Every structure is written in C-alpha cells, then in structure tokens.
Amino acid sequence: MFARDIGVLYRDQKERAEQLEEALASLKTTYLETIRSLAFVVEAKDAYTGQHLERCRAYGVVLMEALGVAADHPDAEYGFLLHDAGKVGVPERILSKPGPLTAAEWRVMRTHPVIGYQMLENIPFMTTAAEIVRCHHEMFDGSGYPEGLRADEIPLPARAFSVVDAFDAMTTDRPYRRAMPAEQAAAELARMAGSQFDPAVVEVFLPLIERLPVVSP
Ligand SMILES: [Fe+2]
C-alpha cells in the first residue's frame, strides 16, 4: 500500500516538474522572441545589416560556452541582440548620415550605450544584458567609450561580444566594402588582441571559427 502511494506521488511530482519545465521553456522562447522584435526594430531604424544581430547572438552563445561562463550569464544572448538598442535615442539624420560625423554628432552617437543600458537596467534577469549594452564599445586597452574601461574592468560577456561583433562585421558584405575571408578576419582579430580585444577571449574564439553555427537568412 505504502509503496504504491509513493509510486503515485512520485509520478504526480514528476509530471508536475515536467509541466513546469515546459512552461519555463515556452516563457523563455517568448522572452527571446520579444527581445528579437525589439532589436530588429532598432536595426531597421539604423542600417539594416541582414542577420548580423542573430549571428552575434548565435556566435556569442558559442563563445560564452567555450569560455565556460554561459551558465553564469543566461541573459547574455539578450544583450548580444540588444547591444545597439540605445540607438532609438539617436536622431536618424546622424544614424544614416552618408559622410563622416562632426565632433558634435559623434558626442550624440556615443550616448547610445548608456541609453540602451538605461532601457534595461531595471528589468529583472537582465543584469548581464544591460552590462553588455553599456560596455559594447569599450576596448581592452581603455581607448573605447563611454567610460574608457580597460581589461578586466570590462565585463567578460562584453569582451566576448566585441570579438564576435567585429568578426561578423568583417566577414559580411557592407555597402562600402566586400566581406573578408574568415582567415583574414581571424588574422585581424589576432592583430588587435591586446588593443581592441581581450587576448584570452580571442585565443578561445579563433579555434571556434570553423564550427560556428550557420544562421539562415
Ligand atoms: Fe553600438
């Protein structure tokens, strides 16, 4: 009798756990899709660059796993997608200006990481995502913006983002130049390790290049 009760109880609990897991998975999918939509709205306002955001997300997740920190930052992928969300606060005449920006226009452009950070900082479970957005133009040697952070002062997920973002930018066609072959882009990353990029992150990323996920158009 007792054993049978335990058996029933176990089955009930197992079923409930499975239902919870399903609910959580569908919530996660909904969350990701909502964030994708928001990111694509911003991208549409800026220069639409194909699947750049989605590749940044996919490559970034692979890199975070290889760095062994993916589980610590489950919201990093949201940050990868939303890195430029703050551009909603930058006038279109600056975003899509054909020629070089004036010093005053650059000052406006350089506010976008902080605007994006402010959009996310109070959303629960978005701490890492917000940090990525705030720090996505920081450079390893301290020459980036908005704060000129250097090395470990820049959160690791943001250092990882810089590498995948640059790699994808180099290996895809842009209106003003042709895509670079992957080997050449890898050489560029290696060349800028220590200045723009964290050398330790570049070292982990380079062997991953051959097995990056293919993002369908
Ligand atoms: Fe940006």
Side-chain angles (χ1 to χ4, degrees):
M1 184 64 192
F2 180 69
R4 210 178 60 210
D5 286 352
I6 293 283
V8 169
L9 201 67
Y10 174 75
R11 262 202 312 281
D12 282 357
Q13 288 302 326
K14 195 165 169 256
E15 211 169 284
R16 264 175 72 177
E18 281 166 5
Q19 282 168 353
L20 265 174
E21 223 163 275
E22 257 171 54
L24 198 65
S26 91
L27 200 65
K28 227 190 137 199
T29 311
T30 312
Y31 214 58
L32 182 58
E33 287 306 329
T34 310
I35 283 162
R36 265 197 189 113
S37 306
L38 178 60
F40 291 156
V41 167
V42 180
E43 199 185 34
K45 191 192 167 198
D46 196 5
Y48 179 71
T49 42
Q51 293 284 67
H52 173 66
L53 292 179
E54 194 53 36
R55 282 190 304 266
C56 279
R57 186 194 74 80
Y59 299 173
V61 168
V62 170
L63 178 54
M64 292 287 284
E65 277 162 8
L67 288 165
V69 295
D72 299 333
H73 304 280
D75 57 322
E77 60 179 329
Y78 306 142
F80 300 150
L81 282 170
L82 291 172
H83 65 276
D84 269 341
K87 283 188 176 172
V88 291
V90 178
E92 257 168 278
R93 61 173 174 80
I94 295 179
L95 286 179
S96 54
K97 186 177 174 184
L101 301 183
T102 65
E105 288 165 342
W106 262 118
R107 271 196 297 279
V108 177
M109 187 63 133
R110 288 202 172 108
T111 59
H112 81 271
V114 174
I115 297 172
Y117 175 75
Q118 288 165 343
M119 287 163 66
L120 301 182
E121 65 176 333
N122 294 321
I123 305 179
F125 312 113
M126 284 287 229
T127 315
T128 296
E131 288 292 295
I132 291 169
V133 173
R134 187 170 63 92
C135 298
H136 78 277
H137 285 292
E138 298 288 1
M139 292 194 195
F140 195 73
D141 63 4
S143 65
Y145 66 93
E147 289 178 75
L149 301 177
R150 60 175 67 228
D152 290 355
E153 292 169 356
I154 308 167
L156 179 57
R159 279 179 269 149
F161 172 79
S162 301
V163 172
V164 296
D165 181 42
F167 176 77
D168 186 63
M170 289 190 277
T171 52
T172 47
D173 284 328
R174 291 294 159 95
Y176 44 90
R177 57 147 180 76
R178 301 286 304 184
M180 214 182 256
E183 311 76 63
Q184 201 183 333
E188 276 298 294
L189 293 178
R191 194 175 65 79
M192 295 188 283
S195 55
Q196 187 168 347
F197 309 116
D198 180 346
V201 173
V202 172
E203 198 182 319
V204 172
F205 182 69
L206 293 183
L208 300 176
I209 290 177
E210 294 209 323
R211 54 181 184 86
L212 289 173
V214 176
V215 173
S216 51

